[in-house]
Amino acid sequence: MSTVDQNQRRRRGTGLIALDAEKAFDGYTLFAPLTGGGAVHLIDLRGEDAHTWRLPYRPGRHARILPGGNLAYNGVLPGEKALFPMWHKYRGGVLGVYAPDGTPLREYRDPLQHHDAHHLDDGGILYTALEPLTGAEADGVRGGVPGSEAAGGVVWADTIKQVDAEGREVWSWSAREHLDRETFALHPDYAREHWPLVNSVTPLADGNILASLRSVSAVVVISRATGEILWRTAPGTVSQQHHPTELPGGNVLVFDNGVFRPGHDVPYSRVIEIDRTGEIAWEYHDPARESFFAPFMGSAQRLPNGNTLVTDSPAGRLFEVTAEGLVVWEYVVPYFGGYEEAEVRGLFPAEPNAVFRSYRYAAEELPWLEAGR
């Protein structure tokens, strides 16, 4: 036995790492440790705990604050079987809204939900789910590692659903019906168990749908009226990306993970802003590119002062940069733990401090917090 902590991320130091209070956007940062068992933390700019929710499900990815101050949270539905080895790592199933004291206000359940669920202002939810492809339909999915389908030769394909406040389905879309297999082929090094792996979905100002297709390296706009793909990033623009969001004016902010980035022998992650023509209008990467690399997960939020909050998810590292690329705030999540499910723990045996996304909120977006001070 060694007296040295063998978790190198914890060994490097946690909590508040850096702060330029004059340039950082003042507010509170929300995050949910993926192995935290249901704890959702809200911290102030100095890394001090301002509030914690204790919810009965571990995170099915992330939480965010809704207008008015309630918490939208996607939890892992207990007791479900693994559809494939990675399923327990990124599935959800319980889509809930909770009061500041943790009281459930409403919950909707879908055991096939995964990755993202966007709670709408009218009480509805736009979320990602799965459906099975078998036989010729499964064989028709292009790319991926041969023979790496889920049990029984199944390829689980993505769907996007919208339900109203009563849980009634009001809109749906499926990759099976609307994605061209050749144009949206899996990267050759990805498993064929899941196609195309939609890890983010959000409504646009014009009513259409913005989505991230990780395993085919594409951000797309889906027509709500017809289901067709109206726009996509050009091949090579993004690589296994996450969390595209629409900015005022129509540009799209993306966390670009950089796995298998074409033309680069050293991987690195970046945050980019893509304009309406598909060109990159703004980019952040670490000055030492290789020192910021998140092979999976990640998010970026444009803040009201023009700064960008970045979530280096696997490292549990949250940081804020200016438009010039200067780091003005940095915090490392201090909560470490192992995954409960044996399937996931076998793939990720260390005790991570990972979070899927983080969000920054101004004080006025949390009226209940300010009222209690």
mmCIF file with all atom_site columns, all heavy atoms in Angstrom, residues 287-307:
data_model
loop_
_atom_site.group_PDB
_atom_site.id
_atom_site.type_symbol
_atom_site.label_atom_id
_atom_site.label_alt_id
_atom_site.label_comp_id
_atom_site.label_asym_id
_atom_site.label_entity_id
_atom_site.label_seq_id
_atom_site.pdbx_PDB_ins_code
_atom_site.Cartn_x
_atom_site.Cartn_y
_atom_site.Cartn_z
_atom_site.occupancy
_atom_site.B_iso_or_equiv
_atom_site.pdbx_formal_charge
_atom_site.auth_seq_id
_atom_site.auth_comp_id
_atom_site.auth_asym_id
_atom_site.auth_atom_id
_atom_site.pdbx_PDB_model_num
ATOM 1   N N   . PRO A 1 287 ? -3.684  27.304 -24.833 1.00 0.00 ? 287 PRO A N   1
ATOM 2   C CA  . PRO A 1 287 ? -2.442  27.642 -25.545 1.00 0.00 ? 287 PRO A CA  1
ATOM 3   C C   . PRO A 1 287 ? -1.546  26.431 -25.774 1.00 0.00 ? 287 PRO A C   1
ATOM 4   O O   . PRO A 1 287 ? -0.881  26.348 -26.810 1.00 0.00 ? 287 PRO A O   1
ATOM 5   C CB  . PRO A 1 287 ? -1.785  28.669 -24.610 1.00 0.00 ? 287 PRO A CB  1
ATOM 6   C CG  . PRO A 1 287 ? -2.934  29.293 -23.882 1.00 0.00 ? 287 PRO A CG  1
ATOM 7   C CD  . PRO A 1 287 ? -3.926  28.188 -23.686 1.00 0.00 ? 287 PRO A CD  1
ATOM 8   N N   . ALA A 1 288 ? -1.527  25.509 -24.811 1.00 0.00 ? 288 ALA A N   1
ATOM 9   C CA  . ALA A 1 288 ? -0.888  24.206 -25.022 1.00 0.00 ? 288 ALA A CA  1
ATOM 10  C C   . ALA A 1 288 ? -2.013  23.244 -25.391 1.00 0.00 ? 288 ALA A C   1
ATOM 11  O O   . ALA A 1 288 ? -2.656  22.651 -24.518 1.00 0.00 ? 288 ALA A O   1
ATOM 12  C CB  . ALA A 1 288 ? -0.151  23.748 -23.769 1.00 0.00 ? 288 ALA A CB  1
ATOM 13  N N   . ARG A 1 289 ? -2.294  23.114 -26.658 1.00 0.00 ? 289 ARG A N   1
ATOM 14  C CA  . ARG A 1 289 ? -3.516  22.436 -27.112 1.00 0.00 ? 289 ARG A CA  1
ATOM 15  C C   . ARG A 1 289 ? -3.726  21.083 -26.445 1.00 0.00 ? 289 ARG A C   1
ATOM 16  O O   . ARG A 1 289 ? -4.830  20.723 -26.064 1.00 0.00 ? 289 ARG A O   1
ATOM 17  C CB  . ARG A 1 289 ? -3.487  22.263 -28.635 1.00 0.00 ? 289 ARG A CB  1
ATOM 18  C CG  . ARG A 1 289 ? -3.571  23.555 -29.400 1.00 0.00 ? 289 ARG A CG  1
ATOM 19  C CD  . ARG A 1 289 ? -3.655  23.289 -30.893 1.00 0.00 ? 289 ARG A CD  1
ATOM 20  N NE  . ARG A 1 289 ? -3.560  24.536 -31.641 1.00 0.00 ? 289 ARG A NE  1
ATOM 21  C CZ  . ARG A 1 289 ? -4.387  24.886 -32.617 1.00 0.00 ? 289 ARG A CZ  1
ATOM 22  N NH1 . ARG A 1 289 ? -5.392  24.090 -32.935 1.00 0.00 ? 289 ARG A NH1 1
ATOM 23  N NH2 . ARG A 1 289 ? -4.230  26.018 -33.258 1.00 0.00 ? 289 ARG A NH2 1
ATOM 24  N N   . GLU A 1 290 ? -2.658  20.312 -26.323 1.00 0.00 ? 290 GLU A N   1
ATOM 25  C CA  . GLU A 1 290 ? -2.784  18.947 -25.812 1.00 0.00 ? 290 GLU A CA  1
ATOM 26  C C   . GLU A 1 290 ? -3.159  18.903 -24.342 1.00 0.00 ? 290 GLU A C   1
ATOM 27  O O   . GLU A 1 290 ? -3.595  17.860 -23.835 1.00 0.00 ? 290 GLU A O   1
ATOM 28  C CB  . GLU A 1 290 ? -1.475  18.176 -26.033 1.00 0.00 ? 290 GLU A CB  1
ATOM 29  C CG  . GLU A 1 290 ? -0.302  18.616 -25.174 1.00 0.00 ? 290 GLU A CG  1
ATOM 30  C CD  . GLU A 1 290 ? 0.388   19.889 -25.646 1.00 0.00 ? 290 GLU A CD  1
ATOM 31  O OE1 . GLU A 1 290 ? -0.005  20.426 -26.716 1.00 0.00 ? 290 GLU A OE1 1
ATOM 32  O OE2 . GLU A 1 290 ? 1.317   20.364 -24.961 1.00 0.00 ? 290 GLU A OE2 1
ATOM 33  N N   . SER A 1 291 ? -3.062  20.023 -23.625 1.00 0.00 ? 291 SER A N   1
ATOM 34  C CA  . SER A 1 291 ? -3.366  20.010 -22.192 1.00 0.00 ? 291 SER A CA  1
ATOM 35  C C   . SER A 1 291 ? -4.871  20.115 -21.917 1.00 0.00 ? 291 SER A C   1
ATOM 36  O O   . SER A 1 291 ? -5.295  19.943 -20.776 1.00 0.00 ? 291 SER A O   1
ATOM 37  C CB  . SER A 1 291 ? -2.631  21.140 -21.476 1.00 0.00 ? 291 SER A CB  1
ATOM 38  O OG  . SER A 1 291 ? -3.187  22.398 -21.796 1.00 0.00 ? 291 SER A OG  1
ATOM 39  N N   . PHE A 1 292 ? -5.667  20.405 -22.924 1.00 0.00 ? 292 PHE A N   1
ATOM 40  C CA  . PHE A 1 292 ? -7.121  20.421 -22.780 1.00 0.00 ? 292 PHE A CA  1
ATOM 41  C C   . PHE A 1 292 ? -7.702  19.448 -23.799 1.00 0.00 ? 292 PHE A C   1
ATOM 42  O O   . PHE A 1 292 ? -7.846  19.780 -24.975 1.00 0.00 ? 292 PHE A O   1
ATOM 43  C CB  . PHE A 1 292 ? -7.674  21.836 -22.990 1.00 0.00 ? 292 PHE A CB  1
ATOM 44  C CG  . PHE A 1 292 ? -9.178  21.925 -23.093 1.00 0.00 ? 292 PHE A CG  1
ATOM 45  C CD1 . PHE A 1 292 ? -10.011 21.094 -22.357 1.00 0.00 ? 292 PHE A CD1 1
ATOM 46  C CD2 . PHE A 1 292 ? -9.766  22.869 -23.922 1.00 0.00 ? 292 PHE A CD2 1
ATOM 47  C CE1 . PHE A 1 292 ? -11.396 21.181 -22.462 1.00 0.00 ? 292 PHE A CE1 1
ATOM 48  C CE2 . PHE A 1 292 ? -11.148 22.979 -24.030 1.00 0.00 ? 292 PHE A CE2 1
ATOM 49  C CZ  . PHE A 1 292 ? -11.958 22.128 -23.300 1.00 0.00 ? 292 PHE A CZ  1
ATOM 50  N N   . PHE A 1 293 ? -7.986  18.236 -23.323 1.00 0.00 ? 293 PHE A N   1
ATOM 51  C CA  . PHE A 1 293 ? -8.561  17.213 -24.188 1.00 0.00 ? 293 PHE A CA  1
ATOM 52  C C   . PHE A 1 293 ? -9.554  16.391 -23.394 1.00 0.00 ? 293 PHE A C   1
ATOM 53  O O   . PHE A 1 293 ? -9.196  15.710 -22.438 1.00 0.00 ? 293 PHE A O   1
ATOM 54  C CB  . PHE A 1 293 ? -7.481  16.301 -24.773 1.00 0.00 ? 293 PHE A CB  1
ATOM 55  C CG  . PHE A 1 293 ? -8.034  15.166 -25.596 1.00 0.00 ? 293 PHE A CG  1
ATOM 56  C CD1 . PHE A 1 293 ? -8.933  15.412 -26.622 1.00 0.00 ? 293 PHE A CD1 1
ATOM 57  C CD2 . PHE A 1 293 ? -7.663  13.856 -25.329 1.00 0.00 ? 293 PHE A CD2 1
ATOM 58  C CE1 . PHE A 1 293 ? -9.453  14.366 -27.378 1.00 0.00 ? 293 PHE A CE1 1
ATOM 59  C CE2 . PHE A 1 293 ? -8.172  12.811 -26.076 1.00 0.00 ? 293 PHE A CE2 1
ATOM 60  C CZ  . PHE A 1 293 ? -9.072  13.058 -27.105 1.00 0.00 ? 293 PHE A CZ  1
ATOM 61  N N   . ALA A 1 294 ? -10.820 16.504 -23.758 1.00 0.00 ? 294 ALA A N   1
ATOM 62  C CA  . ALA A 1 294 ? -11.896 15.724 -23.147 1.00 0.00 ? 294 ALA A CA  1
ATOM 63  C C   . ALA A 1 294 ? -12.393 14.742 -24.202 1.00 0.00 ? 294 ALA A C   1
ATOM 64  O O   . ALA A 1 294 ? -13.104 15.129 -25.127 1.00 0.00 ? 294 ALA A O   1
ATOM 65  C CB  . ALA A 1 294 ? -13.034 16.638 -22.700 1.00 0.00 ? 294 ALA A CB  1
ATOM 66  N N   . PRO A 1 295 ? -12.034 13.470 -24.106 1.00 0.00 ? 295 PRO A N   1
ATOM 67  C CA  . PRO A 1 295 ? -12.408 12.530 -25.168 1.00 0.00 ? 295 PRO A CA  1
ATOM 68  C C   . PRO A 1 295 ? -13.901 12.247 -25.236 1.00 0.00 ? 295 PRO A C   1
ATOM 69  O O   . PRO A 1 295 ? -14.390 11.774 -26.264 1.00 0.00 ? 295 PRO A O   1
ATOM 70  C CB  . PRO A 1 295 ? -11.620 11.263 -24.818 1.00 0.00 ? 295 PRO A CB  1
ATOM 71  C CG  . PRO A 1 295 ? -11.323 11.390 -23.362 1.00 0.00 ? 295 PRO A CG  1
ATOM 72  C CD  . PRO A 1 295 ? -11.167 12.849 -23.093 1.00 0.00 ? 295 PRO A CD  1
ATOM 73  N N   . PHE A 1 296 ? -14.635 12.528 -24.167 1.00 0.00 ? 296 PHE A N   1
ATOM 74  C CA  . PHE A 1 296 ? -16.079 12.336 -24.185 1.00 0.00 ? 296 PHE A CA  1
ATOM 75  C C   . PHE A 1 296 ? -16.720 13.348 -23.247 1.00 0.00 ? 296 PHE A C   1
ATOM 76  O O   . PHE A 1 296 ? -16.079 13.873 -22.345 1.00 0.00 ? 296 PHE A O   1
ATOM 77  C CB  . PHE A 1 296 ? -16.473 10.909 -23.792 1.00 0.00 ? 296 PHE A CB  1
ATOM 78  C CG  . PHE A 1 296 ? -15.787 10.398 -22.565 1.00 0.00 ? 296 PHE A CG  1
ATOM 79  C CD1 . PHE A 1 296 ? -16.295 10.649 -21.309 1.00 0.00 ? 296 PHE A CD1 1
ATOM 80  C CD2 . PHE A 1 296 ? -14.612 9.663  -22.666 1.00 0.00 ? 296 PHE A CD2 1
ATOM 81  C CE1 . PHE A 1 296 ? -15.652 10.185 -20.166 1.00 0.00 ? 296 PHE A CE1 1
ATOM 82  C CE2 . PHE A 1 296 ? -13.963 9.194  -21.528 1.00 0.00 ? 296 PHE A CE2 1
ATOM 83  C CZ  . PHE A 1 296 ? -14.483 9.457  -20.281 1.00 0.00 ? 296 PHE A CZ  1
ATOM 84  N N   . MET A 1 297 ? -17.992 13.633 -23.494 1.00 0.00 ? 297 MET A N   1
ATOM 85  C CA  . MET A 1 297 ? -18.780 14.615 -22.746 1.00 0.00 ? 297 MET A CA  1
ATOM 86  C C   . MET A 1 297 ? -18.201 16.024 -22.927 1.00 0.00 ? 297 MET A C   1
ATOM 87  O O   . MET A 1 297 ? -17.243 16.229 -23.653 1.00 0.00 ? 297 MET A O   1
ATOM 88  C CB  . MET A 1 297 ? -18.895 14.231 -21.274 1.00 0.00 ? 297 MET A CB  1
ATOM 89  C CG  . MET A 1 297 ? -19.489 12.865 -21.036 1.00 0.00 ? 297 MET A CG  1
ATOM 90  S SD  . MET A 1 297 ? -19.831 12.503 -19.287 1.00 0.00 ? 297 MET A SD  1
ATOM 91  C CE  . MET A 1 297 ? -18.182 12.438 -18.581 1.00 0.00 ? 297 MET A CE  1
ATOM 92  N N   . GLY A 1 298 ? -18.801 17.001 -22.252 1.00 0.00 ? 298 GLY A N   1
ATOM 93  C CA  . GLY A 1 298 ? -18.341 18.381 -22.347 1.00 0.00 ? 298 GLY A CA  1
ATOM 94  C C   . GLY A 1 298 ? -19.465 19.327 -22.710 1.00 0.00 ? 298 GLY A C   1
ATOM 95  O O   . GLY A 1 298 ? -20.458 18.943 -23.345 1.00 0.00 ? 298 GLY A O   1
ATOM 96  N N   . SER A 1 299 ? -19.321 20.595 -22.301 1.00 0.00 ? 299 SER A N   1
ATOM 97  C CA  . SER A 1 299 ? -20.342 21.591 -22.636 1.00 0.00 ? 299 SER A CA  1
ATOM 98  C C   . SER A 1 299 ? -19.730 22.976 -22.644 1.00 0.00 ? 299 SER A C   1
ATOM 99  O O   . SER A 1 299 ? -18.617 23.195 -22.147 1.00 0.00 ? 299 SER A O   1
ATOM 100 C CB  . SER A 1 299 ? -21.504 21.540 -21.641 1.00 0.00 ? 299 SER A CB  1
ATOM 101 O OG  . SER A 1 299 ? -21.132 22.034 -20.366 1.00 0.00 ? 299 SER A OG  1
ATOM 102 N N   . ALA A 1 300 ? -20.477 23.913 -23.232 1.00 0.00 ? 300 ALA A N   1
ATOM 103 C CA  . ALA A 1 300 ? -20.058 25.314 -23.265 1.00 0.00 ? 300 ALA A CA  1
ATOM 104 C C   . ALA A 1 300 ? -21.299 26.191 -23.201 1.00 0.00 ? 300 ALA A C   1
ATOM 105 O O   . ALA A 1 300 ? -22.314 25.894 -23.844 1.00 0.00 ? 300 ALA A O   1
ATOM 106 C CB  . ALA A 1 300 ? -19.268 25.614 -24.531 1.00 0.00 ? 300 ALA A CB  1
ATOM 107 N N   . GLN A 1 301 ? -21.223 27.248 -22.423 1.00 0.00 ? 301 GLN A N   1
ATOM 108 C CA  . GLN A 1 301 ? -22.334 28.192 -22.252 1.00 0.00 ? 301 GLN A CA  1
ATOM 109 C C   . GLN A 1 301 ? -21.814 29.605 -22.455 1.00 0.00 ? 301 GLN A C   1
ATOM 110 O O   . GLN A 1 301 ? -20.885 30.040 -21.758 1.00 0.00 ? 301 GLN A O   1
ATOM 111 C CB  . GLN A 1 301 ? -22.935 28.061 -20.844 1.00 0.00 ? 301 GLN A CB  1
ATOM 112 C CG  . GLN A 1 301 ? -24.047 29.056 -20.538 1.00 0.00 ? 301 GLN A CG  1
ATOM 113 C CD  . GLN A 1 301 ? -24.385 29.116 -19.053 1.00 0.00 ? 301 GLN A CD  1
ATOM 114 O OE1 . GLN A 1 301 ? -23.725 28.506 -18.224 1.00 0.00 ? 301 GLN A OE1 1
ATOM 115 N NE2 . GLN A 1 301 ? -25.422 29.864 -18.701 1.00 0.00 ? 301 GLN A NE2 1
ATOM 116 N N   . ARG A 1 302 ? -22.387 30.343 -23.392 1.00 0.00 ? 302 ARG A N   1
ATOM 117 C CA  . ARG A 1 302 ? -22.041 31.750 -23.578 1.00 0.00 ? 302 ARG A CA  1
ATOM 118 C C   . ARG A 1 302 ? -22.740 32.567 -22.503 1.00 0.00 ? 302 ARG A C   1
ATOM 119 O O   . ARG A 1 302 ? -23.953 32.487 -22.339 1.00 0.00 ? 302 ARG A O   1
ATOM 120 C CB  . ARG A 1 302 ? -22.458 32.207 -24.973 1.00 0.00 ? 302 ARG A CB  1
ATOM 121 C CG  . ARG A 1 302 ? -22.144 33.668 -25.301 1.00 0.00 ? 302 ARG A CG  1
ATOM 122 C CD  . ARG A 1 302 ? -20.656 34.021 -25.240 1.00 0.00 ? 302 ARG A CD  1
ATOM 123 N NE  . ARG A 1 302 ? -19.782 33.107 -25.956 1.00 0.00 ? 302 ARG A NE  1
ATOM 124 C CZ  . ARG A 1 302 ? -19.554 33.100 -27.278 1.00 0.00 ? 302 ARG A CZ  1
ATOM 125 N NH1 . ARG A 1 302 ? -20.181 33.974 -28.041 1.00 0.00 ? 302 ARG A NH1 1
ATOM 126 N NH2 . ARG A 1 302 ? -18.711 32.238 -27.811 1.00 0.00 ? 302 ARG A NH2 1
ATOM 127 N N   . LEU A 1 303 ? -21.979 33.344 -21.764 1.00 0.00 ? 303 LEU A N   1
ATOM 128 C CA  . LEU A 1 303 ? -22.494 34.115 -20.638 1.00 0.00 ? 303 LEU A CA  1
ATOM 129 C C   . LEU A 1 303 ? -22.889 35.526 -21.071 1.00 0.00 ? 303 LEU A C   1
ATOM 130 O O   . LEU A 1 303 ? -22.431 36.017 -22.112 1.00 0.00 ? 303 LEU A O   1
ATOM 131 C CB  . LEU A 1 303 ? -21.435 34.157 -19.532 1.00 0.00 ? 303 LEU A CB  1
ATOM 132 C CG  . LEU A 1 303 ? -21.019 32.786 -18.989 1.00 0.00 ? 303 LEU A CG  1
ATOM 133 C CD1 . LEU A 1 303 ? -19.840 32.927 -18.031 1.00 0.00 ? 303 LEU A CD1 1
ATOM 134 C CD2 . LEU A 1 303 ? -22.195 32.098 -18.295 1.00 0.00 ? 303 LEU A CD2 1
ATOM 135 N N   . PRO A 1 304 ? -23.715 36.222 -20.286 1.00 0.00 ? 304 PRO A N   1
ATOM 136 C CA  . PRO A 1 304 ? -24.201 37.547 -20.685 1.00 0.00 ? 304 PRO A CA  1
ATOM 137 C C   . PRO A 1 304 ? -23.098 38.574 -20.910 1.00 0.00 ? 304 PRO A C   1
ATOM 138 O O   . PRO A 1 304 ? -23.306 39.528 -21.678 1.00 0.00 ? 304 PRO A O   1
ATOM 139 C CB  . PRO A 1 304 ? -25.111 37.946 -19.512 1.00 0.00 ? 304 PRO A CB  1
ATOM 140 C CG  . PRO A 1 304 ? -25.612 36.650 -18.974 1.00 0.00 ? 304 PRO A CG  1
ATOM 141 C CD  . PRO A 1 304 ? -24.454 35.714 -19.098 1.00 0.00 ? 304 PRO A CD  1
ATOM 142 N N   . ASN A 1 305 ? -21.940 38.431 -20.257 1.00 0.00 ? 305 ASN A N   1
ATOM 143 C CA  . ASN A 1 305 ? -20.859 39.400 -20.446 1.00 0.00 ? 305 ASN A CA  1
ATOM 144 C C   . ASN A 1 305 ? -19.951 39.049 -21.613 1.00 0.00 ? 305 ASN A C   1
ATOM 145 O O   . ASN A 1 305 ? -18.921 39.699 -21.819 1.00 0.00 ? 305 ASN A O   1
ATOM 146 C CB  . ASN A 1 305 ? -20.036 39.549 -19.160 1.00 0.00 ? 305 ASN A CB  1
ATOM 147 C CG  . ASN A 1 305 ? -19.270 38.290 -18.803 1.00 0.00 ? 305 ASN A CG  1
ATOM 148 O OD1 . ASN A 1 305 ? -19.492 37.223 -19.389 1.00 0.00 ? 305 ASN A OD1 1
ATOM 149 N ND2 . ASN A 1 305 ? -18.352 38.399 -17.845 1.00 0.00 ? 305 ASN A ND2 1
ATOM 150 N N   . GLY A 1 306 ? -20.301 38.030 -22.390 1.00 0.00 ? 306 GLY A N   1
ATOM 151 C CA  . GLY A 1 306 ? -19.489 37.635 -23.536 1.00 0.00 ? 306 GLY A CA  1
ATOM 152 C C   . GLY A 1 306 ? -18.481 36.547 -23.238 1.00 0.00 ? 306 GLY A C   1
ATOM 153 O O   . GLY A 1 306 ? -17.876 35.992 -24.163 1.00 0.00 ? 306 GLY A O   1
ATOM 154 N N   . ASN A 1 307 ? -18.269 36.222 -21.961 1.00 0.00 ? 307 ASN A N   1
ATOM 155 C CA  . ASN A 1 307 ? -17.391 35.114 -21.609 1.00 0.00 ? 307 ASN A CA  1
ATOM 156 C C   . ASN A 1 307 ? -18.072 33.783 -21.917 1.00 0.00 ? 307 ASN A C   1
ATOM 157 O O   . ASN A 1 307 ? -19.271 33.733 -22.201 1.00 0.00 ? 307 ASN A O   1
ATOM 158 C CB  . ASN A 1 307 ? -17.020 35.169 -20.122 1.00 0.00 ? 307 ASN A CB  1
ATOM 159 C CG  . ASN A 1 307 ? -16.111 36.325 -19.785 1.00 0.00 ? 307 ASN A CG  1
ATOM 160 O OD1 . ASN A 1 307 ? -15.648 37.050 -20.670 1.00 0.00 ? 307 ASN A OD1 1
ATOM 161 N ND2 . ASN A 1 307 ? -15.854 36.531 -18.506 1.00 0.00 ? 307 ASN A ND2 1
#
